[in-house]
Amino acid sequence: MATTEDIRSTLAEIVNDVAGIPAEDVQLDKSFTDDLDVDSLSMVEVVVEAEEKFDVKIPDDEVKNLKTVGDAVAFIERAQA
Amino acid sequence: MSPTTVVVTGLGTTSPLGGDVDSTWEGMLAGRSGANRLEHDWAEQLPVRIAAEVAVEPAEVLDRVKARRMDRSAQFAVVAAQEAWTDAGLPGTELDPERLGVVIASGIGGVTTLLSNYDALLAKGPRRVSPLAVPMLMPNSPAANIGLLYGAQAGVHTPVSACASGNEAISLGIDMIRLGRADIVIVGGTEAAIHPLPMAAFANMMALSKRDDDPALVSRPWDLARDGFLLGEGAGVLVIESAEHASSRGARVYACVAGAGITADSHDIAQPDPAGRGGTRAIARALYDSKLAAGDIKHINAHATSTPQGDIAEGLMIHATLGDAADDVVVTSTKSMTGHLLGAAGALESIATIKALHHRQVPPTINLDDLDPAVELDIATSVRELPDGDIAALNNSFGFGGHNVAIAFTTV
């Protein structure tokens, strides 16, 4: 079972790959749009990459609720449980 | 009222001969071929396994994150535009964004993005189609990316006229300045279509050379052994501006872009008019638009793609328009070295034409071992000097669909 930190660091690698944000900046309290400058199209890319990496489904309706990295990590933890 | 004089103040390219204008021009003067054997796995099954890929991969020069949001054609265009913008001395210059325009053409647009997303769709399903696919594959994406880069607000356009697209972009840029819509226009063309599908398609329509020996020998305009074009890729970008604006900021001027002629054959969707009537009218209109006489033309960078029919037809056009003055024109086809860059061809070859006027040196046509007796032109087979004084040159481009565009440049 992946730990919260495992999920965060994998997500950080995805955000780095897609949007060029340094992985160490991708912390649980950061907002994707306000702090990390991830635009809506990049967010879709992050979500699709995350679905594949973590073998979960993140419905489009859910994406708008994933405001912070912590929201996304929590969603993935619940989906994997 | 006489039309506004339009001048060229910046040049940029990434081509099969080099990642910038200097290396590309040096390659042309050296008569170096940019052709290479395709080492990709997908090339093994193709009827044509030779093309002219860019000498410098754009990923080596562009920011990784920005590059992954652009199709290869937009990457080429941005690399070339950055060079042209710097070459024009524009970084740091205060400009009115509403007086800055962009006209960047492409023949095919983001075809590799379209096809790679289709591959992803088939292999992994619709969820894996990139949300960036549309802004990447749209043919106006290179123009839009350049417009965003420099804040151009006078209008951002993308003419699509197959292999005449690059010249058409330059012509539309001249119009924007003459019509008073802009002071500066970033013009040019880009193409990135070295992919199995377009290559198979061009090969199946008998347009590409089927030679499979030394890649350097494939593109041979006007030679008796020519059998089709060599597919190239890359971009050419020019900064053009009103002479008044260039003068007000003390810009270095390479040449005047004196005028253009655009016509359509209305003959066939793919075959050129064998008598070259549409191309003849384009050259004649370019002369008229530029107020040049036949005797002013001392150099022509020909479209000459190395196809059996087209190369002959262009010779007829040159004689029909220039008459006896054609004997004093040094003609070359730089496609013998770069291959055919489709929608970027006119732009890259306009750069070659401008450099030829600027340095008064015409680069050679390579591989012209046995001149087709149907062609009566003075073709440069080694570097040739151009005469001193005020002289003019033409760059011709013709495209599938019957599009013909000739651009006239003059020395300053």
Side-chain angles (χ1 to χ4, degrees), chain B residues 196-257:
Chain B
L197 194 142
M199 285 199 70
F202 279 120
N204 290 347
M205 73 188 295
M206 314 294 276
L208 289 181
S209 169
K210 298 269 171 55
R211 284 181 79 114
D212 200 37
D213 49 354
D214 181 353
L217 302 178
V218 170
S219 186
R220 40 196 322 112
W222 299 299
D223 184 79
L224 272 176
R226 70 190 185 280
D227 70 332
F229 72 79
L230 161 75
L231 184 62
E233 63 173 1
V237 172
L238 299 76
V239 172
I240 64 172
E241 57 187 298
S242 73
E244 193 183 348
H245 191 273
S247 165
S248 73
R249 66 182 190 90
R252 178 264 333 273
V253 172
Y254 283 107
C256 278
V257 49

Side-chain angles (χ1 to χ4, degrees), chain B residues 280-305:
Chain B
T280 300
R281 285 188 292 115
I283 296 171
R285 290 182 75 106
L287 291 175
Y288 176 79
D289 187 45
S290 315
K291 300 187 170 56
L292 290 168
D296 296 326
I297 306 295
K298 299 299 177 198
H299 167 48
I300 296 177
N301 188 307
H303 185 63
T305 59

Side-chain angles (χ1 to χ4, degrees), chain A residues 16-18 20 39 42 45 48 51 58 60, chain B residues 64-65 68-69 124 127-128 130-132 135:
Chain A
N16 175 260
D17 180 52
V18 167
D39 67 20
S42 294
E45 286 195 288
V48 172
E51 284 184 334
I58 308 176
D60 288 344
Chain B
R64 181 189 66 81
V65 174
R68 70 182 292 284
R69 297 173 75 102
K124 294 179 168 177
R127 185 72 169 159
R128 297 301 298 189
S130 170
L132 300 170

Side-chain angles (χ1 to χ4, degrees), chain B residues 130-143:
Chain B
S130 170
L132 300 170
V134 170
M136 285 172 69
L137 70 84
M138 58 192 194
N140 54 311
S141 184

Side-chain angles (χ1 to χ4, degrees), chain B residues 327-401:
Chain B
D327 297 341
D328 295 325
V329 176
V330 181
V331 181
T332 199
S333 171
T334 43
K335 284 190 185 78
S336 61
M337 296 170 282
T338 64
H340 189 356
L341 273 64
L342 310 178
L348 176 59
E349 289 151 24
S350 285
I351 291 171
T353 310
I354 292 161
K355 292 289 277 182
L357 282 178
H358 189 65
H359 299 289
R360 298 191 190 253
Q361 279 188 311
V362 174
T365 299
I366 64 168
N367 298 322
L368 184 48
D369 299 331
D370 295 300
L371 177 65
D372 187 326
V375 177
E376 292 180 16
L377 296 169
D378 179 10
I379 299 163
T381 52
S382 59
V383 175
R384 293 271 299 274
E385 306 295 319
L386 288 173
D388 293 337
D390 295 338
I391 58 170
L394 292 171
N395 173 33
N396 295 335
S397 285
F398 314 117
F400 287 154

Side-chain angles (χ1 to χ4, degrees), chain B residues 47-356:
Chain B
V48 174
R49 287 176 290 271
I50 292 171
E53 295 177 294
V54 289
V56 178
E57 277 299 312
E60 291 175 29
V61 256
L62 292 175
D63 171 75
R64 181 189 66 81
V65 174
K66 287 194 178 114
R68 70 182 292 284
R69 297 173 75 102
M70 287 187 256
D71 179 73
R72 189 169 172 83
S73 61
Q75 294 175 3
F76 292 157
V78 166
V79 169
Q82 286 175 343
E83 184 189 4
W85 186 259
T86 303
D87 187 46
L90 288 168
T93 306
E94 203 160 302
L95 296 174
D96 178 356
E98 293 184 25
R99 304 292 300 160
L100 173 64
V102 175
V103 190
I104 297 291
S106 175
I108 308 187
V111 64
T112 56
T113 294
L114 176 67
L115 293 168
S116 64
N117 275 279
Y118 188 57
D119 291 343
L121 173 73
L122 293 182
K124 294 179 168 177
R127 185 72 169 159
R128 297 301 298 189
V129 173
S130 170
L132 300 170
V134 170
M136 285 172 69
L137 70 84
M138 58 192 194
N140 54 311
S141 184
N145 272 289
I146 292 169
L148 284 167
L149 190 59
Y150 299 116
Q153 296 175 11
V156 172
H157 309 280
T158 300
V160 177
S161 48
C163 307
S165 305
N167 261 8
E168 190 160 310
I170 297 170
S171 174
L172 298 182
I174 300 170
D175 291 346
M176 282 182 82
I177 294 171
R178 285 182 178 172
L179 291 169
R181 289 176 54 206
D183 296 322
I184 300 185
V185 188
I186 303 167
V187 297
T190 186
E191 205 74 79
I194 298 179
H195 173 286
L197 194 142
M199 285 199 70
F202 279 120
N204 290 347
M205 73 188 295
M206 314 294 276
L208 289 181
S209 169
K210 298 269 171 55
R211 284 181 79 114
D212 200 37
D213 49 354
D214 181 353
L217 302 178
V218 170
S219 186
R220 40 196 322 112
W222 299 299
D223 184 79
L224 272 176
R226 70 190 185 280
D227 70 332
F229 72 79
L230 161 75
L231 184 62
E233 63 173 1
V237 172
L238 299 76
V239 172
I240 64 172
E241 57 187 298
S242 73
E244 193 183 348
H245 191 273
S247 165
S248 73
R249 66 182 190 90
R252 178 264 333 273
V253 172
Y254 283 107
C256 278
V257 49
I262 299 185
T263 65
D265 279 354
S266 195
H267 168 76
D268 186 87
I269 193 70
Q271 297 299 325
D273 174 354
R277 285 168 292 200
T280 300
R281 285 188 292 115
I283 296 171
R285 290 182 75 106
L287 291 175
Y288 176 79
D289 187 45
S290 315
K291 300 187 170 56
L292 290 168
D296 296 326
I297 306 295
K298 299 299 177 198
H299 167 48
I300 296 177
N301 188 307
H303 185 63
T305 59
S306 188
T307 59
Q309 262 203 358
D311 292 10
I312 292 177
E314 191 170 5
L316 301 176
M317 298 171 200
I318 292 169
H319 282 284
T321 46
L322 302 187
D324 291 344
D327 297 341
D328 295 325
V329 176
V330 181
V331 181
T332 199
S333 171
T334 43
K335 284 190 185 78
S336 61
M337 296 170 282
T338 64
H340 189 356
L341 273 64
L342 310 178
L348 176 59
E349 289 151 24
S350 285
I351 291 171
T353 310
I354 292 161
K355 292 289 277 182

